[in-house]
Structures are given as C-alpha cells and as structure tokens.
Amino acid sequence: MKQCSSIDDIRSEISALKKQGKTIAFVPTMGALHEGHLSLMRLAKEKADEVVVSIYVNPEQFGPNEDFEDYPRQLQDDLDACEQEGVSLVFTPNDKVMYGSGEKYFRIELDTLNEHMDGGSRPGFFEGIVLVVNKFFNIIEPDVAIFGQKDIQQFQILKQMVYEFNHNIELIAAPIARANDGLALSSRNAYLSDEERKIAPSLYRALQYVERQIKDGVMEPKLLLNHQQDELEAKGFKNDYLNVFSMKTMHPVKKLQPGNSYILAGAVYLGKTRLIDNIILDL
Ligand code: AMP
C-alpha cells in the first residue's frame, strides 16, 4: 500500500495502474475509520481490481459552529486499517493541496435536493461535499465509487452530480453497518458518553417502529412520527427531523403511495453529538 499526499503523486500512481489495465474503485472518507468504512472497502474490492481510499476532513462541508476542530483524527490507525483491507493507495491531501491558496472565482450551488433533511439543517454542507467529491473524481478518475447508505441524501445528490456533470463513474451505495444493538456506526459516536451510548440505538428503534406501521398500511404517518419524536425527547434526545422523504426529490411526503420509494430518516442530537439514520422504504 502506498500513501500519497500530493495530486501529482496520486495521479502518477493511478496512471501506472491504469496502464496495467487495472480498474479502480474509490472510497472517500474523513478518516476515524470504523467497520462501516471497512465494509465500503470490501465492497470496493469486489467491484474493481484496485482500491483507492481518501482520508481528508473537508473543511468546506463544516458550518462555522460545527465540529471541524474536534472531528476525530487518527491517521496511523486508519492507514493500518486500510493496509489490512488490501487497499492499494491512500490519498491524504492537506487543505493547501485540495484548495490551494489563491483567489476563488467559482462556487457550487445546489437546487432543491438539499432543501430538507441534512441539507435543510446544515447550510453549505452539500455544497462542500459536491465540491470536494467533484475534485476527488477529477483527480482520481475512478471507474467506481462507493458511498454509504447511511448518508443517503449525499448519495442521491452525488448520483445527480455524476449525471449532470457527465462523470464516467459508477456510484454504488453500501448498506448501513450497525453495532449489535442497532446503532449506525459513525466516527462521531466517539463523542458519546457511556450513558448517551446506551440510549443512542433508540433512534433506529423509532425508525423501525414507524417502518413496521407503514408496512402494516399506515400511509399518512405524521402523527406516528410526532409521537416517536416526543418519545425520543422524553429519553433525552433533541430532535432535528424525523420524517418520510421522497427518494427522488428528497422532500417530505405526507401521503405515501404504493409503488414508490421513500426514505424514512431521522436526525437527533444527544448532548453535543448529532446522530443520523435512515431506512429505505420500497412500497
Ligand atoms: P465519513 O468518513 O463519515 O465521511 O464517511 C465516509 C463514507 O463512509 C461515506 O460514504 C459514508 O456514507 C460511509 N459510512 C459512514 N458510516 C457508515 C456506516 N455505518 N455504514 C456504511 N457506510 C458508512
């Protein structure tokens, strides 16, 4: 495994692999790797000859009051984990490599797909993600890129980006990796106290409860969702959103229709930690 920190270096490594006829699967991460990230790398290995992982905490996707400074950083452990997973190249740029130091005259603007869910709660978040992933795609030019269903709105927006900007890259979503008690794995789970960690799986349980009710025929789940939010508040969570969204538009849906795809998604705060989770509903 080779670690590259400059664009020239990663490009020349990748072009050498491509000259040998190898296909490339790319897994972008912000490090603090856990089993969820590793499951993406394993899927990447199934989809292409060589796996390239990036580890970069992208400042452009953090708001001014968010956890950019505190975000867990553990590069050596992450490199060891990548090596164990048989990753070929790890790209570890710094901010100067990614964004340079000169004036900027372009900015990304999104239309409607980021109005709700995490885009609604985190202004600038998806603009930052689209910017950095677009740059990574231009630098690495992979055949395939793997993202987690955990960040389903990210996946849908990036799929649209690939379509509208004609990136010749296949995007694949990997299932959500969970702890034994159902909590979706996340680098941010490291912020949870022991007490918070014990109640954290309640978010997924609330989603599962609503999923069962919908599958049993509740097609207007607003009251159900409100009730689950009240229960989460009573347990000590602060709600951001809990709702059903259209898979296509990423907008909330009041009345569900058979034959459509939806995302049942929630975001909550537990102390200072923001947790997100979702279940896909193909009705
Ligand atoms: P991050 O390092 O949090 O930016 O995540 C990097 C990639 O890993 C993204 O595509 C995430 O959706 C994915 N990911 C994060 N957590 C999980 C999880 N629990 N299961 C599957 N994929 C995940």
Side-chain angles (χ1 to χ4, degrees):
M1 187 181 85
K2 184 155 187 235
Q3 181 189 353
C4 302
S5 298
S6 78
I7 292 174
D8 284 349
D9 199 12
I10 190 90
R11 276 197 171 135
S12 76
E13 292 293 332
I14 285 172
S15 103
L17 291 174
K18 286 190 171 173
K19 275 199 192 108
Q20 295 166 36
K22 308 279 194 192
T23 54
I24 308 283
F26 174 47
V27 181
T29 81
M30 298 207 298
L33 301 179
H34 51 66
E35 195 57 35
H37 297 112
L38 305 188
S39 72
L40 267 52
M41 294 175 204
R42 286 170 207 147
L43 185 57
K45 277 211 94 159
E46 289 173 22
K47 300 290 174 186
D49 301 321
E50 309 283 340
V51 177
V52 178
V53 171
S54 63
I55 298 175
Y56 178 59
V57 184
N58 172 33
E60 291 286 326
Q61 70 190 68
F62 286 80
N65 299 316
E66 293 186 347
D67 56 344
F68 175 69
E69 296 296 336
D70 296 337
Y71 199 84
R73 289 161 172 90
Q74 43 168 66
L75 184 59
Q76 193 51 55
D77 287 354
D78 289 347
L79 292 173
D80 292 345
C82 289
E83 179 127 48
Q84 280 215 333
E85 291 302 327
V87 169
S88 307
L89 297 170
V90 183
F91 185 39
T92 52
N94 62 23
D95 295 341
K96 185 143 187 287
V97 167
M98 285 310 287
Y99 292 110
S101 43
E103 297 275 331
K104 302 284 183 309
Y105 293 97
F106 291 85
R107 68 191 166 86
I108 301 276
E109 204 175 315
L110 296 179
D111 193 9
T112 71
L113 285 179
N114 67 340
E115 284 174 349
H116 297 276
M117 301 178 73
D118 287 353
S121 310
R122 304 182 64 186
F125 177 53
F126 285 113
E127 288 82 352
I129 287 178
V130 166
L131 178 64
V132 80
V133 174
N134 212 357
K135 283 158 130 344
F136 280 141
F137 282 1
N138 287 326
I139 293 165
I140 289 163
E141 298 185 282
D143 300 280
V144 179
I146 318 281
F147 295 86
Q149 183 207 312
K150 162 104 187 309
D151 299 278
I152 184 78
Q153 191 177 18
Q154 162 177 280
F155 184 74
Q156 294 297 93
I157 288 175
L158 292 176
K159 250 184 25 188
Q160 192 61 26
M161 177 190 90
V162 161
Y163 171 70
E164 289 190 32
F165 291 88
N166 304 92
H167 286 290
N168 191 15
I169 299 170
E170 182 190 1
L171 294 202
I172 296 174
I176 302 176
R178 300 181 178 280
N180 287 337
D181 58 9
L183 176 67
L185 299 181
S186 164
S187 306
R188 289 191 167 93
N189 292 351
Y191 301 149
L192 297 170
S193 69
D194 290 348
E195 280 311 299
E196 289 167 344
R197 175 63 190 80
K198 274 187 206 138
I199 63 162
S202 305
L203 172 61
Y204 183 47
R205 289 200 200 110
L207 293 174
Q208 285 179 305
Y209 178 77
V210 176
E211 178 193 27
R212 279 197 299 274
Q213 299 291 312
I214 291 173
K215 292 208 159 142
D216 284 348
V218 178
M219 298 304 256
E220 290 182 71
K222 185 166 182 4
L223 288 177
L224 197 61
L225 291 160
N226 289 350
H227 182 66
Q228 288 303 312
Q229 285 199 300
D230 292 344
E231 300 234 311
L232 287 168
E233 292 268 347
K235 287 193 177 119
F237 292 83
K238 198 171 148 300
N239 285 296
D240 182 348
Y241 61 80
L242 185 72
N243 216 333
V244 180
F245 301 88
S246 153
M247 182 65 94
K248 191 158 177 260
T249 64
M250 304 273 122
H251 281 216
V253 179
K254 285 203 180 84
K255 193 169 174 7
L256 312 184
Q257 310 277 356
N260 288 335
S261 272
Y262 301 97
I263 306 158
L264 169 59
V268 291
Y269 290 90
L270 200 45
K272 63 173 186 153
T273 311
R274 188 167 187 279
L275 303 175
I276 60 169
D277 205 341
N278 70 78
I279 293 175
I280 293 176
L281 300 171
D282 287 317
L283 297 186

mmCIF file of all heavy atoms in Angstrom, residues 27-40 54 56 61 71 129 146-152 154-155 158 172 174-179 183-189, ligand 1:
data_model
loop_
_atom_site.group_PDB
_atom_site.id
_atom_site.type_symbol
_atom_site.label_atom_id
_atom_site.label_comp_id
_atom_site.label_asym_id
_atom_site.label_seq_id
_atom_site.Cartn_x
_atom_site.Cartn_y
_atom_site.Cartn_z
ATOM 1 N N VAL A 27 -13.008 5.013 -2.526
ATOM 2 C CA VAL A 27 -13.809 5.160 -1.302
ATOM 3 C C VAL A 27 -13.366 6.435 -0.578
ATOM 4 O O VAL A 27 -12.325 6.440 0.086
ATOM 5 C CB VAL A 27 -13.622 3.941 -0.356
ATOM 6 C CG1 VAL A 27 -14.489 4.108 0.894
ATOM 7 C CG2 VAL A 27 -13.926 2.635 -1.063
ATOM 8 N N PRO A 28 -14.135 7.527 -0.706
ATOM 9 C CA PRO A 28 -13.765 8.743 0.024
ATOM 10 C C PRO A 28 -14.205 8.668 1.491
ATOM 11 O O PRO A 28 -15.327 8.235 1.774
ATOM 12 C CB PRO A 28 -14.556 9.860 -0.691
ATOM 13 C CG PRO A 28 -15.414 9.212 -1.703
ATOM 14 C CD PRO A 28 -15.301 7.727 -1.577
ATOM 15 N N THR A 29 -13.330 9.089 2.406
ATOM 16 C CA THR A 29 -13.673 9.092 3.840
ATOM 17 C C THR A 29 -13.065 10.329 4.502
ATOM 18 O O THR A 29 -12.184 10.974 3.951
ATOM 19 C CB THR A 29 -13.107 7.863 4.593
ATOM 20 O OG1 THR A 29 -11.727 8.112 4.905
ATOM 21 C CG2 THR A 29 -13.221 6.584 3.786
ATOM 22 N N MET A 30 -13.565 10.584 5.718
ATOM 23 C CA MET A 30 -12.926 11.626 6.537
ATOM 24 C C MET A 30 -12.105 10.983 7.657
ATOM 25 O O MET A 30 -11.788 11.644 8.658
ATOM 26 C CB MET A 30 -13.989 12.572 7.116
ATOM 27 C CG MET A 30 -14.753 13.303 6.017
ATOM 28 S SD MET A 30 -15.410 14.881 6.554
ATOM 29 C CE MET A 30 -16.512 14.366 7.840
ATOM 30 N N GLY A 31 -11.758 9.702 7.502
ATOM 31 C CA GLY A 31 -10.912 9.042 8.491
ATOM 32 C C GLY A 31 -11.694 8.652 9.735
ATOM 33 O O GLY A 31 -12.921 8.585 9.715
ATOM 34 N N ALA A 32 -10.951 8.400 10.853
ATOM 35 C CA ALA A 32 -11.546 7.803 12.063
ATOM 36 C C ALA A 32 -12.345 6.573 11.629
ATOM 37 O O ALA A 32 -13.530 6.435 11.927
ATOM 38 C CB ALA A 32 -12.413 8.806 12.823
ATOM 39 N N LEU A 33 -11.638 5.710 10.911
ATOM 40 C CA LEU A 33 -12.311 4.606 10.214
ATOM 41 C C LEU A 33 -12.911 3.592 11.185
ATOM 42 O O LEU A 33 -12.331 3.287 12.223
ATOM 43 C CB LEU A 33 -11.308 3.898 9.285
ATOM 44 C CG LEU A 33 -10.679 4.802 8.221
ATOM 45 C CD1 LEU A 33 -9.681 3.996 7.373
ATOM 46 C CD2 LEU A 33 -11.737 5.441 7.331
ATOM 47 N N HIS A 34 -14.098 3.112 10.840
ATOM 48 C CA HIS A 34 -14.780 2.076 11.627
ATOM 49 C C HIS A 34 -15.254 0.995 10.661
ATOM 50 O O HIS A 34 -15.022 1.082 9.444
ATOM 51 C CB HIS A 34 -15.940 2.685 12.429
ATOM 52 C CG HIS A 34 -16.875 3.527 11.616
ATOM 53 N ND1 HIS A 34 -17.672 3.008 10.625
ATOM 54 C CD2 HIS A 34 -17.116 4.870 11.623
ATOM 55 C CE1 HIS A 34 -18.387 3.965 10.085
ATOM 56 N NE2 HIS A 34 -18.063 5.119 10.658
ATOM 57 N N GLU A 35 -15.942 0.021 11.197
ATOM 58 C CA GLU A 35 -16.369 -1.134 10.408
ATOM 59 C C GLU A 35 -17.224 -0.719 9.196
ATOM 60 O O GLU A 35 -17.213 -1.380 8.172
ATOM 61 C CB GLU A 35 -17.136 -2.088 11.345
ATOM 62 C CG GLU A 35 -17.350 -3.482 10.836
ATOM 63 C CD GLU A 35 -16.072 -4.241 10.461
ATOM 64 O OE1 GLU A 35 -15.029 -4.056 11.139
ATOM 65 O OE2 GLU A 35 -16.121 -4.990 9.484
ATOM 66 N N GLY A 36 -17.973 0.390 9.317
ATOM 67 C CA GLY A 36 -18.775 0.882 8.187
ATOM 68 C C GLY A 36 -17.881 1.238 7.006
ATOM 69 O O GLY A 36 -18.128 0.838 5.861
ATOM 70 N N HIS A 37 -16.812 2.003 7.289
ATOM 71 C CA HIS A 37 -15.862 2.353 6.226
ATOM 72 C C HIS A 37 -15.232 1.084 5.637
ATOM 73 O O HIS A 37 -15.044 0.965 4.430
ATOM 74 C CB HIS A 37 -14.737 3.237 6.764
ATOM 75 C CG HIS A 37 -15.184 4.562 7.294
ATOM 76 N ND1 HIS A 37 -15.124 4.890 8.633
ATOM 77 C CD2 HIS A 37 -15.675 5.658 6.678
ATOM 78 C CE1 HIS A 37 -15.555 6.131 8.807
ATOM 79 N NE2 HIS A 37 -15.904 6.621 7.635
ATOM 80 N N LEU A 38 -14.879 0.151 6.523
ATOM 81 C CA LEU A 38 -14.196 -1.067 6.049
ATOM 82 C C LEU A 38 -15.125 -1.883 5.149
ATOM 83 O O LEU A 38 -14.683 -2.494 4.173
ATOM 84 C CB LEU A 38 -13.699 -1.914 7.226
ATOM 85 C CG LEU A 38 -12.779 -1.183 8.230
ATOM 86 C CD1 LEU A 38 -12.208 -2.181 9.241
ATOM 87 C CD2 LEU A 38 -11.649 -0.418 7.557
ATOM 88 N N SER A 39 -16.437 -1.854 5.467
ATOM 89 C CA SER A 39 -17.382 -2.598 4.611
ATOM 90 C C SER A 39 -17.421 -1.971 3.214
ATOM 91 O O SER A 39 -17.591 -2.670 2.218
ATOM 92 C CB SER A 39 -18.774 -2.651 5.249
ATOM 93 O OG SER A 39 -19.409 -1.398 5.196
ATOM 94 N N LEU A 40 -17.248 -0.645 3.134
ATOM 95 C CA LEU A 40 -17.181 0.018 1.823
ATOM 96 C C LEU A 40 -15.937 -0.451 1.049
ATOM 97 O O LEU A 40 -15.988 -0.694 -0.160
ATOM 98 C CB LEU A 40 -17.124 1.539 1.987
ATOM 99 C CG LEU A 40 -18.440 2.326 1.963
ATOM 100 C CD1 LEU A 40 -19.476 1.796 2.910
ATOM 101 C CD2 LEU A 40 -18.202 3.807 2.204
ATOM 102 N N SER A 54 -9.524 7.821 0.128
ATOM 103 C CA SER A 54 -9.027 9.137 0.554
ATOM 104 C C SER A 54 -9.394 9.342 2.011
ATOM 105 O O SER A 54 -10.452 8.895 2.474
ATOM 106 C CB SER A 54 -9.609 10.259 -0.313
ATOM 107 O OG SER A 54 -11.005 10.314 -0.181
ATOM 108 N N TYR A 56 -9.592 12.591 4.354
ATOM 109 C CA TYR A 56 -9.480 14.050 4.337
ATOM 110 C C TYR A 56 -10.686 14.651 5.054
ATOM 111 O O TYR A 56 -11.828 14.407 4.645
ATOM 112 C CB TYR A 56 -9.423 14.555 2.883
ATOM 113 C CG TYR A 56 -9.350 16.060 2.779
ATOM 114 C CD1 TYR A 56 -8.297 16.765 3.377
ATOM 115 C CD2 TYR A 56 -10.319 16.782 2.097
ATOM 116 C CE1 TYR A 56 -8.231 18.150 3.294
ATOM 117 C CE2 TYR A 56 -10.257 18.167 2.000
ATOM 118 C CZ TYR A 56 -9.204 18.841 2.607
ATOM 119 O OH TYR A 56 -9.155 20.206 2.530
ATOM 120 N N GLN A 61 -17.214 21.402 4.206
ATOM 121 C CA GLN A 61 -18.537 20.844 4.493
ATOM 122 C C GLN A 61 -18.946 21.015 5.958
ATOM 123 O O GLN A 61 -19.955 20.472 6.384
ATOM 124 C CB GLN A 61 -18.621 19.377 4.061
ATOM 125 C CG GLN A 61 -17.812 18.418 4.898
ATOM 126 C CD GLN A 61 -17.749 17.048 4.269
ATOM 127 O OE1 GLN A 61 -17.137 16.852 3.230
ATOM 128 N NE2 GLN A 61 -18.391 16.057 4.895
ATOM 129 N N TYR A 71 -13.271 17.060 15.211
ATOM 130 C CA TYR A 71 -13.507 15.814 14.466
ATOM 131 C C TYR A 71 -12.352 14.841 14.720
ATOM 132 O O TYR A 71 -11.183 15.231 14.652
ATOM 133 C CB TYR A 71 -13.665 16.103 12.977
ATOM 134 C CG TYR A 71 -14.351 14.956 12.260
ATOM 135 C CD1 TYR A 71 -15.729 14.861 12.238
ATOM 136 C CD2 TYR A 71 -13.603 13.953 11.658
ATOM 137 C CE1 TYR A 71 -16.360 13.786 11.625
ATOM 138 C CE2 TYR A 71 -14.223 12.885 11.038
ATOM 139 C CZ TYR A 71 -15.598 12.803 11.028
ATOM 140 O OH TYR A 71 -16.221 11.735 10.428
ATOM 141 N N ILE A 129 -19.660 19.149 0.091
ATOM 142 C CA ILE A 129 -19.449 17.748 -0.315
ATOM 143 C C ILE A 129 -19.333 17.643 -1.840
ATOM 144 O O ILE A 129 -18.437 16.979 -2.362
ATOM 145 C CB ILE A 129 -20.587 16.862 0.225
ATOM 146 C CG1 ILE A 129 -20.405 16.706 1.733
ATOM 147 C CG2 ILE A 129 -20.615 15.506 -0.482
ATOM 148 C CD1 ILE A 129 -21.475 15.895 2.419
ATOM 149 N N ILE A 146 -17.650 4.181 -4.089
ATOM 150 C CA ILE A 146 -18.565 3.559 -3.120
ATOM 151 C C ILE A 146 -18.886 4.551 -2.002
ATOM 152 O O ILE A 146 -17.964 5.161 -1.412
ATOM 153 C CB ILE A 146 -17.921 2.304 -2.462
ATOM 154 C CG1 ILE A 146 -17.166 1.452 -3.483
ATOM 155 C CG2 ILE A 146 -18.970 1.514 -1.690
ATOM 156 C CD1 ILE A 146 -17.979 0.570 -4.339
ATOM 157 N N PHE A 147 -20.159 4.704 -1.701
ATOM 158 C CA PHE A 147 -20.616 5.575 -0.618
ATOM 159 C C PHE A 147 -21.577 4.780 0.257
ATOM 160 O O PHE A 147 -22.124 3.756 -0.174
ATOM 161 C CB PHE A 147 -21.339 6.803 -1.186
ATOM 162 C CG PHE A 147 -20.433 7.701 -1.980
ATOM 163 C CD1 PHE A 147 -20.215 7.454 -3.334
ATOM 164 C CD2 PHE A 147 -19.782 8.771 -1.381
ATOM 165 C CE1 PHE A 147 -19.363 8.270 -4.070
ATOM 166 C CE2 PHE A 147 -18.926 9.588 -2.115
ATOM 167 C CZ PHE A 147 -18.718 9.332 -3.462
ATOM 168 N N GLY A 148 -21.814 5.270 1.481
ATOM 169 C CA GLY A 148 -22.703 4.556 2.399
ATOM 170 C C GLY A 148 -24.144 5.026 2.296
ATOM 171 O O GLY A 148 -24.395 6.226 2.150
ATOM 172 N N GLN A 149 -25.059 4.077 2.434
ATOM 173 C CA GLN A 149 -26.493 4.442 2.512
ATOM 174 C C GLN A 149 -26.764 5.260 3.770
ATOM 175 O O GLN A 149 -27.753 5.970 3.866
ATOM 176 C CB GLN A 149 -27.346 3.168 2.527
ATOM 177 C CG GLN A 149 -28.849 3.452 2.536
ATOM 178 C CD GLN A 149 -29.659 2.347 3.173
ATOM 179 O OE1 GLN A 149 -29.449 1.177 2.851
ATOM 180 N NE2 GLN A 149 -30.569 2.700 4.064
ATOM 181 N N LYS A 150 -25.867 5.162 4.742
ATOM 182 C CA LYS A 150 -26.002 5.962 5.971
ATOM 183 C C LYS A 150 -26.241 7.430 5.625
ATOM 184 O O LYS A 150 -27.015 8.120 6.280
ATOM 185 C CB LYS A 150 -24.712 5.790 6.779
ATOM 186 C CG LYS A 150 -24.452 6.817 7.826
ATOM 187 C CD LYS A 150 -24.733 6.256 9.192
ATOM 188 C CE LYS A 150 -24.645 7.301 10.268
ATOM 189 N NZ LYS A 150 -23.412 8.078 10.226
ATOM 190 N N ASP A 151 -25.532 7.916 4.590
ATOM 191 C CA ASP A 151 -25.688 9.304 4.151
ATOM 192 C C ASP A 151 -26.457 9.301 2.828
ATOM 193 O O ASP A 151 -25.917 9.633 1.774
ATOM 194 C CB ASP A 151 -24.302 9.941 3.998
ATOM 195 C CG ASP A 151 -23.545 9.947 5.300
ATOM 196 O OD1 ASP A 151 -23.782 10.835 6.115
ATOM 197 O OD2 ASP A 151 -22.724 9.036 5.526
ATOM 198 N N ILE A 152 -27.723 8.928 2.910
ATOM 199 C CA ILE A 152 -28.499 8.663 1.697
ATOM 200 C C ILE A 152 -28.708 9.933 0.868
ATOM 201 O O ILE A 152 -28.691 9.885 -0.364
ATOM 202 C CB ILE A 152 -29.853 7.991 2.056
ATOM 203 C CG1 ILE A 152 -30.649 7.615 0.811
ATOM 204 C CG2 ILE A 152 -30.688 8.855 2.955
ATOM 205 C CD1 ILE A 152 -30.191 6.391 0.136
ATOM 206 N N GLN A 154 -26.651 12.418 0.632
ATOM 207 C CA GLN A 154 -25.361 12.603 -0.047
ATOM 208 C C GLN A 154 -25.293 11.724 -1.291
ATOM 209 O O GLN A 154 -24.895 12.173 -2.377
ATOM 210 C CB GLN A 154 -24.230 12.249 0.918
ATOM 211 C CG GLN A 154 -22.888 11.972 0.273
ATOM 212 C CD GLN A 154 -21.806 11.711 1.294
ATOM 213 O OE1 GLN A 154 -21.269 12.630 1.873
ATOM 214 N NE2 GLN A 154 -21.477 10.446 1.526
ATOM 215 N N PHE A 155 -25.679 10.456 -1.148
ATOM 216 C CA PHE A 155 -25.596 9.533 -2.274
ATOM 217 C C PHE A 155 -26.482 10.004 -3.428
ATOM 218 O O PHE A 155 -26.057 10.015 -4.596
ATOM 219 C CB PHE A 155 -25.991 8.113 -1.839
ATOM 220 C CG PHE A 155 -25.839 7.105 -2.937
ATOM 221 C CD1 PHE A 155 -24.580 6.675 -3.330
ATOM 222 C CD2 PHE A 155 -26.938 6.604 -3.606
ATOM 223 C CE1 PHE A 155 -24.417 5.766 -4.366
ATOM 224 C CE2 PHE A 155 -26.794 5.691 -4.641
ATOM 225 C CZ PHE A 155 -25.528 5.270 -5.019
ATOM 226 N N LEU A 158 -24.984 13.085 -5.084
ATOM 227 C CA LEU A 158 -23.795 12.771 -5.888
ATOM 228 C C LEU A 158 -24.159 11.999 -7.158
ATOM 229 O O LEU A 158 -23.536 12.189 -8.205
ATOM 230 C CB LEU A 158 -22.769 11.989 -5.053
ATOM 231 C CG LEU A 158 -22.129 12.801 -3.920
ATOM 232 C CD1 LEU A 158 -21.212 11.924 -3.079
ATOM 233 C CD2 LEU A 158 -21.355 14.014 -4.463
ATOM 234 N N ILE A 172 -21.962 3.381 -6.260
ATOM 235 C CA ILE A 172 -22.603 2.241 -5.604
ATOM 236 C C ILE A 172 -22.833 2.593 -4.135
ATOM 237 O O ILE A 172 -21.930 3.138 -3.481
ATOM 238 C CB ILE A 172 -21.721 0.983 -5.716
ATOM 239 C CG1 ILE A 172 -21.579 0.597 -7.200
ATOM 240 C CG2 ILE A 172 -22.282 -0.173 -4.900
ATOM 241 C CD1 ILE A 172 -20.618 -0.530 -7.467
ATOM 242 N N ALA A 174 -23.480 1.327 -0.303
ATOM 243 C CA ALA A 174 -23.287 0.158 0.570
ATOM 244 C C ALA A 174 -24.270 0.242 1.734
ATOM 245 O O ALA A 174 -24.570 1.338 2.215
ATOM 246 C CB ALA A 174 -21.853 0.141 1.089
ATOM 247 N N PRO A 175 -24.760 -0.920 2.198
ATOM 248 C CA PRO A 175 -25.723 -0.911 3.319
ATOM 249 C C PRO A 175 -25.129 -0.298 4.593
ATOM 250 O O PRO A 175 -23.901 -0.211 4.727
ATOM 251 C CB PRO A 175 -26.030 -2.392 3.544
ATOM 252 C CG PRO A 175 -25.304 -3.166 2.520
ATOM 253 C CD PRO A 175 -24.423 -2.258 1.736
ATOM 254 N N ILE A 176 -25.997 0.089 5.510
ATOM 255 C CA ILE A 176 -25.548 0.725 6.765
ATOM 256 C C ILE A 176 -24.975 -0.335 7.704
ATOM 257 O O ILE A 176 -25.660 -1.319 8.022
ATOM 258 C CB ILE A 176 -26.725 1.453 7.449
ATOM 259 C CG1 ILE A 176 -27.312 2.510 6.502
ATOM 260 C CG2 ILE A 176 -26.276 2.084 8.766
ATOM 261 C CD1 ILE A 176 -28.542 3.231 7.043
ATOM 262 N N ALA A 177 -23.733 -0.146 8.129
ATOM 263 C CA ALA A 177 -23.131 -1.057 9.117
ATOM 264 C C ALA A 177 -23.539 -0.587 10.512
ATOM 265 O O ALA A 177 -23.475 0.609 10.811
ATOM 266 C CB ALA A 177 -21.611 -1.062 8.977
ATOM 267 N N ARG A 178 -23.982 -1.540 11.331
ATOM 268 C CA ARG A 178 -24.528 -1.198 12.643
ATOM 269 C C ARG A 178 -23.806 -1.948 13.758
ATOM 270 O O ARG A 178 -23.301 -3.055 13.533
ATOM 271 C CB ARG A 178 -26.022 -1.574 12.706
ATOM 272 C CG ARG A 178 -26.846 -0.852 11.677
ATOM 273 C CD ARG A 178 -28.329 -1.206 11.759
ATOM 274 N NE ARG A 178 -29.048 -0.424 10.756
ATOM 275 C CZ ARG A 178 -29.398 0.838 10.897
ATOM 276 N NH1 ARG A 178 -29.146 1.460 12.041
ATOM 277 N NH2 ARG A 178 -29.998 1.498 9.930
ATOM 278 N N ALA A 179 -23.823 -1.378 14.952
ATOM 279 C CA ALA A 179 -23.375 -2.108 16.139
ATOM 280 C C ALA A 179 -24.423 -3.171 16.461
ATOM 281 O O ALA A 179 -25.530 -3.142 15.908
ATOM 282 C CB ALA A 179 -23.220 -1.136 17.305
ATOM 283 N N LEU A 183 -27.289 0.566 16.618
ATOM 284 C CA LEU A 183 -26.798 1.930 16.350
ATOM 285 C C LEU A 183 -25.967 1.951 15.064
ATOM 286 O O LEU A 183 -25.056 1.134 14.892
ATOM 287 C CB LEU A 183 -25.941 2.418 17.532
ATOM 288 C CG LEU A 183 -25.285 3.786 17.333
ATOM 289 C CD1 LEU A 183 -26.336 4.903 17.269
ATOM 290 C CD2 LEU A 183 -24.274 4.076 18.450
ATOM 291 N N ALA A 184 -26.284 2.863 14.158
ATOM 292 C CA ALA A 184 -25.488 3.011 12.935
ATOM 293 C C ALA A 184 -24.083 3.463 13.315
ATOM 294 O O ALA A 184 -23.916 4.419 14.092
ATOM 295 C CB ALA A 184 -26.146 4.041 12.012
ATOM 296 N N LEU A 185 -23.065 2.779 12.793
ATOM 297 C CA LEU A 185 -21.689 3.162 13.119
ATOM 298 C C LEU A 185 -21.385 4.526 12.525
ATOM 299 O O LEU A 185 -21.840 4.852 11.424
ATOM 300 C CB LEU A 185 -20.707 2.123 12.566
ATOM 301 C CG LEU A 185 -20.868 0.710 13.121
ATOM 302 C CD1 LEU A 185 -19.823 -0.217 12.499
ATOM 303 C CD2 LEU A 185 -20.745 0.694 14.643
ATOM 304 N N SER A 186 -20.649 5.332 13.271
ATOM 305 C CA SER A 186 -20.284 6.677 12.821
ATOM 306 C C SER A 186 -19.031 7.104 13.566
ATOM 307 O O SER A 186 -18.869 6.780 14.756
ATOM 308 C CB SER A 186 -21.429 7.650 13.154
ATOM 309 O OG SER A 186 -20.968 8.982 13.074
ATOM 310 N N SER A 187 -18.164 7.853 12.876
ATOM 311 C CA SER A 187 -16.971 8.375 13.555
ATOM 312 C C SER A 187 -17.390 9.250 14.733
ATOM 313 O O SER A 187 -16.693 9.347 15.741
ATOM 314 C CB SER A 187 -16.124 9.195 12.584
ATOM 315 O OG SER A 187 -15.819 8.433 11.435
ATOM 316 N N ARG A 188 -18.546 9.914 14.604
ATOM 317 C CA ARG A 188 -18.999 10.824 15.666
ATOM 318 C C ARG A 188 -19.499 10.079 16.907
ATOM 319 O O ARG A 188 -19.680 10.705 17.953
ATOM 320 C CB ARG A 188 -20.107 11.742 15.139
ATOM 321 C CG ARG A 188 -19.596 12.787 14.163
ATOM 322 C CD ARG A 188 -20.637 13.853 13.863
ATOM 323 N NE ARG A 188 -20.054 14.985 13.177
ATOM 324 C CZ ARG A 188 -20.014 15.121 11.846
ATOM 325 N NH1 ARG A 188 -20.544 14.202 11.062
ATOM 326 N NH2 ARG A 188 -19.448 16.197 11.296
ATOM 327 N N ASN A 189 -19.730 8.757 16.808
ATOM 328 C CA ASN A 189 -20.155 8.021 18.008
ATOM 329 C C ASN A 189 -19.087 8.106 19.096
ATOM 330 O O ASN A 189 -19.387 7.900 20.269
ATOM 331 C CB ASN A 189 -20.446 6.553 17.674
ATOM 332 C CG ASN A 189 -21.676 6.398 16.797
ATOM 333 O OD1 ASN A 189 -22.404 7.367 16.573
ATOM 334 N ND2 ASN A 189 -21.905 5.195 16.292
HETATM 335 P P1 AMP B 1 -17.329 9.786 6.511
HETATM 336 O O1 AMP B 1 -15.934 9.401 6.863
HETATM 337 O O2 AMP B 1 -18.247 9.870 7.696
HETATM 338 O O3 AMP B 1 -17.399 10.982 5.599
HETATM 339 O O4 AMP B 1 -17.917 8.576 5.689
HETATM 340 C C1 AMP B 1 -17.258 8.093 4.534
HETATM 341 C C2 AMP B 1 -18.155 7.118 3.838
HETATM 342 O O5 AMP B 1 -18.489 6.052 4.713
HETATM 343 C C3 AMP B 1 -19.494 7.754 3.400
HETATM 344 O O6 AMP B 1 -19.837 7.266 2.116
HETATM 345 C C4 AMP B 1 -20.452 7.269 4.452
HETATM 346 O O7 AMP B 1 -21.791 7.183 3.994
HETATM 347 C C5 AMP B 1 -19.893 5.882 4.744
HETATM 348 N N1 AMP B 1 -20.330 5.423 6.066
HETATM 349 C C6 AMP B 1 -20.251 6.085 7.243
HETATM 350 N N2 AMP B 1 -20.814 5.367 8.230
HETATM 351 C C7 AMP B 1 -21.269 4.209 7.658
HETATM 352 C C8 AMP B 1 -21.949 3.060 8.137
HETATM 353 N N3 AMP B 1 -22.290 2.919 9.423
HETATM 354 N N4 AMP B 1 -22.246 2.078 7.262
HETATM 355 C C9 AMP B 1 -21.909 2.195 5.947
HETATM 356 N N5 AMP B 1 -21.264 3.253 5.430
HETATM 357 C C10 AMP B 1 -20.950 4.248 6.266
#
